[in-house]
Amino acid sequence: EPDVTIVSGLQDTVVSEGDDVTFRCQVSRENARDVEWKLQDVALQNNEMNEISVERGKIHTLTLRKVTEQDIGTVTFRVGAHTSTA
Protein backbone atom coordinates (compact mmCIF):
# COMPACT_ATOMS: atom_id res chain seq x y z
CA GLU A 1 0.00 0.00 0.00
CA PRO A 2 1.55 3.35 -1.01
CA ASP A 3 2.33 6.03 1.54
CA VAL A 4 -0.32 8.64 2.19
CA THR A 5 1.18 12.00 1.21
CA ILE A 6 0.12 15.61 1.66
CA VAL A 7 -1.37 16.99 -1.57
CA SER A 8 -2.26 20.47 -0.29
CA GLY A 9 -0.61 21.78 2.88
CA LEU A 10 -1.64 24.19 5.61
CA GLN A 11 -1.86 27.95 4.98
CA ASP A 12 -0.62 30.59 7.44
CA THR A 13 -3.56 32.42 8.98
CA VAL A 14 -4.02 35.61 11.01
CA VAL A 15 -7.11 35.75 13.21
CA SER A 16 -8.48 38.09 15.86
CA GLU A 17 -8.75 37.05 19.50
CA GLY A 18 -12.14 35.45 20.19
CA ASP A 19 -12.65 34.28 16.59
CA ASP A 20 -12.61 30.73 15.24
CA VAL A 21 -9.93 29.64 12.77
CA THR A 22 -9.91 26.60 10.47
CA PHE A 23 -6.88 24.84 8.98
CA ARG A 24 -7.18 22.37 6.10
CA CYS A 25 -4.77 19.79 4.75
CA GLN A 26 -5.53 17.50 1.80
CA VAL A 27 -4.00 14.02 1.66
CA SER A 28 -3.55 11.64 -1.26
CA ARG A 29 -5.84 8.84 -0.08
CA GLU A 30 -9.09 8.45 1.82
CA ASN A 31 -9.24 6.87 5.28
CA ALA A 32 -5.69 7.93 6.15
CA ARG A 33 -4.50 6.52 9.45
CA ASP A 34 -1.74 7.77 11.73
CA VAL A 35 -2.96 11.39 11.46
CA GLU A 36 -2.10 13.97 14.12
CA TRP A 37 -2.74 17.69 14.70
CA LYS A 38 -0.53 19.72 17.05
CA LEU A 39 -0.47 23.29 18.31
CA GLN A 40 2.94 24.42 19.64
CA ASP A 41 4.08 20.76 19.73
CA VAL A 42 1.10 19.71 21.89
CA ALA A 43 -1.12 17.00 20.39
CA LEU A 44 -4.73 18.14 19.95
CA GLN A 45 -7.85 16.09 20.70
CA ASN A 46 -11.36 16.60 19.35
CA ASN A 47 -13.23 18.53 22.08
CA GLU A 48 -15.29 21.69 22.64
CA MET A 49 -12.30 23.94 21.80
CA ASN A 50 -10.80 21.92 18.93
CA GLU A 51 -12.94 20.42 16.19
CA ILE A 52 -11.07 17.81 14.17
CA SER A 53 -12.83 16.31 11.16
CA VAL A 54 -12.40 14.88 7.65
CA GLU A 55 -14.28 16.27 4.66
CA ARG A 56 -14.84 14.18 1.51
CA GLY A 57 -12.45 11.53 2.82
CA LYS A 58 -9.22 13.37 2.02
CA ILE A 59 -9.46 16.89 3.49
CA HIS A 60 -8.52 16.93 7.16
CA THR A 61 -9.67 20.01 9.06
CA LEU A 62 -8.88 21.53 12.43
CA THR A 63 -11.03 24.34 13.80
CA LEU A 64 -9.75 26.19 16.87
CA ARG A 65 -12.69 27.84 18.65
CA LYS A 66 -12.54 31.28 20.28
CA VAL A 67 -8.75 31.63 20.01
CA THR A 68 -6.77 33.53 22.63
CA GLU A 69 -3.20 34.85 22.80
CA GLN A 70 -2.18 31.46 24.27
CA ASP A 71 -3.10 29.87 20.91
CA ILE A 72 -0.40 31.80 19.02
CA GLY A 73 2.12 29.42 17.52
CA THR A 74 2.72 26.75 14.95
CA VAL A 75 -0.03 24.37 13.90
CA THR A 76 1.29 21.05 12.59
CA PHE A 77 -0.55 18.37 10.60
CA ARG A 78 1.17 14.99 10.34
CA VAL A 79 0.25 11.89 8.36
CA GLY A 80 2.77 9.08 8.59
CA ALA A 81 6.21 10.58 7.88
CA HIS A 82 4.81 13.69 6.15
CA THR A 83 4.12 17.02 7.90
CA SER A 84 2.78 20.46 7.07
CA THR A 85 2.98 23.53 9.32
CA ALA A 86 1.42 26.99 9.46
Side-chain angles (χ1 to χ4, degrees):
E1 210 169 88
D3 256 7
V4 177
T5 60
I6 295 172
V7 175
S8 175
L10 300 177
Q11 301 293 315
D12 289 344
T13 304
V14 176
V15 64
S16 298
E17 191 169 16
D19 288 349
D20 296 350
V21 61
T22 299
F23 295 92
R24 288 181 177 78
C25 201
Q26 183 175 346
V27 297
S28 59
R29 288 206 341 245
E30 292 187 12
N31 304 317
R33 297 191 188 343
D34 194 22
V35 170
E36 181 179 48
W37 286 99
K38 288 184 176 183
L39 175 60
Q40 301 165 177
D41 284 331
V42 176
L44 298 176
Q45 304 298 320
N46 199 20
N47 58 37
E48 67 278 352
M49 297 307 292
N50 312 313
E51 182 184 327
I52 297 171
S53 62
V54 180
E55 299 171 0
R56 296 189 298 280
K58 294 182 181 180
I59 301 172
H60 292 256
T61 65
L62 165 67
T63 300
L64 302 176
R65 304 246 180 250
K66 296 180 178 60
V67 295
T68 66
E69 275 189 37
Q70 285 75 37
D71 296 319
I72 292 172
T74 301
V75 171
T76 305
F77 173 82
R78 182 187 60 76
V79 58
H82 305 278
T83 60
S84 179
T85 60

